Amino acid sequence: MTVNVFLDDYRHCPQGYILAKDIDECIDLLKRFPISHLSLDHDLESKTRNGLMLVHYMVKYQLFAESITIHSANSVAGKQMFTYLKEAQSENLMPRSIHVRLRPLPLR
């Protein structure tokens, strides 16, 4: 059974997704379930354990989803997350078959 995961500590979780409020919850889900779609925010309650740290961890430990969307409204950090994942793909550190998109969501 695959699941969809929504990492965010502020927005409401869309129907059909499991909410992860911090990167530790998200890492736990990545380790326990095959994930179809992973939607990621950057700015979380912890200023040091954010979405960028998560994507670094994902690449280092090869924990991926079939598709990944960066939904952060933080345009600079969201682009950093997107760029890091795309560079990981071009360097063969992440499967090229994973569809990575940058689609910021409003905070409300």
Side-chain angles (χ1 to χ4, degrees):
M1 172 181 98
T2 63
V3 298
N4 298 314
V5 175
F6 189 77
L7 172 67
D8 206 302
D9 65 341
Y10 184 75
R11 293 175 187 86
H12 293 289
C13 183
Q15 187 173 350
Y17 285 76
I18 297 172
L19 178 63
K21 290 188 175 185
D22 60 42
I23 69 169
D24 296 311
E25 288 179 13
C26 192
I27 290 167
D28 182 56
L29 292 166
L30 281 160
K31 288 179 177 179
R32 290 180 31 215
F33 299 100
I35 297 176
S36 178
H37 183 237
L38 180 61
S39 190
L40 302 174
D41 191 17
H42 176 272
D43 298 341
L44 302 168
E45 191 170 301
S46 171
K47 300 303 178 204
T48 56
R49 297 184 59 74
N50 55 41
L52 184 59
M53 178 186 246
L54 174 65
V55 297
H56 283 259
Y57 186 94
M58 289 168 53
V59 171
K60 181 177 180 179
Y61 293 101
Q62 298 291 289
L63 297 170
F64 302 116
E66 293 173 22
S67 68
I68 301 169
T69 300
I70 310 302
H71 70 251
S72 181
N74 181 331
S75 61
V76 173
K79 188 166 185 171
Q80 286 177 326
M81 292 169 67
F82 175 79
T83 301
Y84 185 80
L85 292 173
K86 294 305 280 183
E87 287 175 356
Q89 285 180 316
S90 69
E91 295 170 8
N92 294 317
L93 300 173
M94 178 175 151
R96 292 176 189 258
S97 61
I98 297 172
H99 191 213
V100 179
R101 345 180 227 289
L102 178 60
R103 295 188 187 219
L105 291 176
L107 291 174
R108 286 278 171 183

